[in-house]
Amino acid sequence: MIAIIDYGMGNLRSVHKAFEAVGADACVTRDPAAIASAHSVVLPGVGAFKDCMANLDQLGLIDPVRKSIQSGKPFLGICLGLQLLFEQSVEFGTVPGLGVLPGKVIRFDFDDASDLKVPHMGWNTLNLKKSSPLFDPAEPHPYFYFVHSYYVMPDNADTVVTTTQYGREFVSGIEYQNIHAFQFHPEKSQKAGLKLLEKFAQLN
Amino acid sequence: MLAKRIIPCLDVKDGRVVKGVQFVNLRDAGDPVEIAAAYEQEGADELTFLDITASHENRGIILDVVQRTAEKVFMPLTVGGGVRSLDDIRNLLKAGADKVAINTAAVHNPEFVKQAAEKFGSQCIVVAIDAKQVDPNAPLNPPAVEWKERHPTLFVMPQPPQPAWEVYTHGGRNPMGINAVLWARLMESYGAGEILLTSMDRDGTKSGYDLPLNRTVSDALTIPLVASGGAGTLEHLYAGVAEGKADAVLAASIFHFKELTIPESKQYLKQRGIPIRI
């Protein structure tokens, strides 16, 4: 069973439906026992970093999430679910995150002359930086759907699995031990996204 | 590189897809869930549903359509039409919408956009603007909102020969006296994550997007702009992006009635040097 963590935010239904579409057994839950016994865990998320951390805290989910990551079972973070893994975000002042990975989350900052819009919204390509069980090396630049104004700056460059170009090259994917976390939305990325989720569901 | 998006728009009335010309003379174009699934297969970049059901009591129908679409379609889905409250937004997002478009309710209460963006995040709040070019020979429409004292400058129009555009509400029926470009900027500052800009002059005419309108608004914004109203040919899609400076182009009838397909539109734009996801 894949446990999709329900902390009162995010597009849980989309993530759930996408796993169902690839034949994976997934459930949406906020029950720490269900998270602990799940085969793998998904932390989705859209919205504001601060509200997400507050909701996780209020629902008593911070420890269960940290423990599930430490247990070594496959973990998938999507969008805010990637950002929340880091030590802090500068969204609305400095807000501490889960601190599972060293690094921070900062905002796209373009000068007035730039035509680049924020949020970074739409389909953009990935640059595959290392081999990964979730990506096909024959397709090193697949398109995925993004919608975000902030991006992660990991301290450890070895954890970077994909980058994406938007005004600058930013980190769009992290893989470290059992952690797989992406800035883009596989559940909204049609065939490419479903394929990634299917591969994640097969991880041990 | 970030690709420009092609977005088919489904106007949904009482659970069916319909399409009119300049907001009237509706034609039936089919079942929304089936059409959405076909666009998924064709590789559309996003989908937009505009619920034009007149009666608010029939809101359940669009929620059901959104829910059934979300089972089959794995791309971003924007839903608009009659969105008036935080509960409306919550229900649409729960049903499977990724973004919600707010139009009339934003004009009547701009604070609503602020509240919605704070509650659900800017990324899911689209402000839809129906704009019509101001006739330089006709008297200006008086401000038709109660909050005009708070934002008096929004009602100032550029002087001819500069073109000016005015915001309309209620599906293009009510002129509000508001300068559309300044309105888009205010909505951005209130937390909108995207602007969906429809030219009422061009809607359904297949004579091309209103390029000066789109370019003026796009230049004024730092958030993405979706151009809508008037697409009839491949060249129009290209001009919408290249000259209108839109981040995405939306079209309805040309796709529903198969005058153009999504794949041929994408091939064309790619050949003309526009970054496009094939």
Side-chain angles (χ1 to χ4, degrees), chain A residues 53-157:
Chain A
M53 277 307 290
N55 278 19
L56 280 173
D57 189 25
Q58 251 170 32
L59 292 166
L61 288 172
I62 288 183
D63 255 7
V65 171
R66 276 210 190 101
K67 276 184 190 144
S68 73
I69 295 171
Q70 285 155 4
S71 76
K73 65 175 77 168
F75 176 90
L76 175 63
I78 300 173
C79 195
L80 264 180
L82 159 70
Q83 299 180 5
L84 291 167
L85 297 176
F86 286 84
E87 291 166 304
Q88 58 175 0
S89 170
V90 295
E91 185 175 347
F92 308 116
T94 299
V95 182
L98 293 169
V100 174
L101 297 171
K104 60 183 177 178
V105 183
I106 65 167
R107 196 171 201 278
F108 283 113
D109 189 14
F110 301 123
D111 63 45
D112 290 347
S114 167
D115 271 347
L116 296 173
K117 307 288 185 73
V118 181
H120 171 227
M121 188 187 282
W123 297 81
N124 206 337
T125 49
L126 312 182
N127 309 306
L128 196 53
K129 293 291 184 183
K130 62 177 182 181
S131 74
S132 155
L134 301 185
F135 294 98
D136 180 356
E139 285 178 59
H141 304 291
Y143 269 108
F144 279 86
Y145 190 85
F146 288 83
V147 51
H148 62 120
S149 302
Y150 293 78
Y151 61 94
V152 299
M153 300 253 292
D155 288 352
N156 183 355

Side-chain angles (χ1 to χ4, degrees), chain B:
Chain B
M1 194 170 188
L2 182 66
K4 299 292 178 181
R5 292 168 276 156
I6 296 189
I7 308 178
C9 176
L10 287 64
D11 290 346
V12 181
K13 185 169 187 287
D14 300 323
R16 298 286 292 175
V17 177
V18 295
K19 187 57 209 167
V21 175
Q22 284 169 322
F23 291 41
V24 291
N25 294 329
L26 302 176
R27 266 165 90 183
D28 188 276
D31 174 67
V33 183
E34 276 173 30
I35 294 177
Y39 286 135
E40 166 96 357
Q41 286 306 312
E42 285 198 341
D45 294 315
E46 282 187 31
L47 274 185
T48 294
F49 283 171
L50 291 182
D51 181 16
I52 57 168
T53 304
S55 150
H56 207 61
E57 285 85 74
N58 289 337
R59 286 316 293 251
I61 297 175
I62 192 74
L63 289 175
D64 176 61
V65 167
V66 170
Q67 215 156 54
R68 287 188 293 126
T69 303
E71 314 252 334
K72 292 193 176 175
V73 166
F74 300 99
M75 64 176 141
L77 174 62
T78 302
V79 185
V83 175
R84 289 170 211 189
S85 67
L86 295 176
D87 272 345
D88 287 342
I89 298 175
R90 186 177 294 109
N91 290 335
L92 285 167
L93 295 176
K94 250 188 175 168
D98 298 285
K99 301 186 233 179
V100 169
I102 308 172
N103 188 338
T104 300
V107 177
H108 285 284
N109 178 17
E111 302 295 323
F112 174 49
V113 171
K114 218 181 234 180
Q115 290 163 3
E118 271 166 20
K119 180 106 197 149
F120 303 104
S122 289
Q123 83 292 332
C124 70
I125 303 301
V126 179
V127 170
I129 301 175
D130 293 335
K132 195 172 174 12
Q133 188 160 359
V134 174
D135 177 353
N137 301 312
L140 290 177
N141 289 308
V145 286
E146 289 161 10
W147 47 259
K148 60 178 183 289
E149 286 80 12
R150 269 185 288 138
H151 301 286
T153 54
L154 283 182
F155 302 89
V156 177
M157 297 289 176
Q159 290 303 304
Q162 285 230 58
W165 295 271
E166 177 178 4
V167 174
Y168 280 64
T169 63
H170 295 90
R173 284 190 291 276
N174 300 343
M176 304 308 287
I178 300 169
N179 177 331
V181 179
L182 301 179
W183 174 242
R185 285 190 69 138
L186 184 78
M187 290 294 92
E188 170 178 311
S189 74
Y190 275 29
E194 188 170 61
I195 298 290
L196 166 55
L197 180 61
T198 301
S199 160
M200 292 173 56
D201 302 301
R202 300 302 181 89
D203 184 63
T205 62
K206 296 181 190 166
S207 57
Y209 296 106
D210 185 336
L211 301 176
L213 167 65
N214 280 290
R215 193 171 48 242
T216 309
V217 172
S218 186
D219 281 342
L221 294 177
T222 65
I223 54 175
L225 172 73
V226 182
S228 156
T233 65
L234 293 169
E235 171 63 28
H236 292 157
L237 299 177
Y238 172 78
V241 171
E243 291 169 50
K245 296 179 86 172
D247 299 284
V249 283
L250 178 142
S253 46
I254 53 164
F255 294 136
H256 304 335
F257 299 118
K258 307 267 186 266
E259 290 158 37
L260 295 180
T261 66
I262 303 282
E264 73 176 316
S265 304
K266 289 189 150 189
Q267 284 298 345
Y268 178 83
L269 292 180
K270 193 178 164 112
Q271 277 162 16
R272 301 227 26 205
I274 303 290
I276 279 285
R277 178 185 66 118
I278 298 286

